[in-house]
């Protein structure tokens, strides 16, 4: 019969394992755009890019999208990339 210490250790280990996602990505890329999520450039490109990266990496890379300046303002993107707050920025020229 397991001791009390072995039981507590086993339960603690099970809780740690249960709290982890089954297939957590090894890398996360933050994609920032300042267009509305419904803008054609954002609505078309972002989901396709996210799927291509995540599927192509077999789940090793996750893409988090932050539309409409949710992560940083448009003018702050260059410094946000340098400081690693943003990994990728979607820019559109013209309307």
């Amino acid at each position: 019969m397991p001791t009390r210490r072995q039981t507590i250790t086993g339960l603690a280990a099970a809780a740690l394992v249960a709290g982890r996602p089954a297939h957590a990505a090894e890398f996360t890329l933050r994609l920032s755009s300042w267009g509305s999520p419904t803008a054609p450039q954002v609505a078309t490109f972002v989901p396709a890019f996210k799927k291509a990266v995540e599927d192509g990496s077999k789940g090793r890379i996750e893409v988090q999208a932050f539309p409409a300046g949710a992560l940083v303002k448009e003018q702050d993107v260059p410094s946000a990339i340098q400081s690693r707050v943003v990994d990728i920025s979607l820019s559109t020229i013209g309307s």
Side-chain angles (χ1 to χ4, degrees):
M1 176 161 258
T3 66
R4 180 182 166 132
R5 178 180 223 154
Q6 290 171 327
T7 301
I8 291 172
T9 302
L11 289 173
L16 286 173
V17 170
R20 290 185 181 173
H23 300 286
E26 294 175 42
F27 306 97
T28 301
L29 297 175
R30 292 171 304 271
L31 186 152
S32 177
S33 71
W34 46 86
S36 164
T38 59
Q41 300 91 335
V42 177
T44 302
F45 172 79
V46 173
F49 178 79
K50 178 178 172 62
K51 181 171 177 23
V53 169
E54 292 177 354
D55 290 353
S57 70
K58 295 183 172 52
R60 291 182 60 222
I61 302 171
E62 174 189 7
V63 176
Q64 293 179 335
F66 297 91
L71 190 58
V72 296
K73 295 178 185 175
E74 177 181 353
Q75 64 270 21
D76 296 331
V77 168
S79 62
I81 289 175
Q82 289 176 334
S83 64
R84 299 182 181 184
V85 171
V86 172
D87 299 301
I88 304 165
S89 176
L90 171 62
S91 303
T92 57
I93 299 173
S95 31

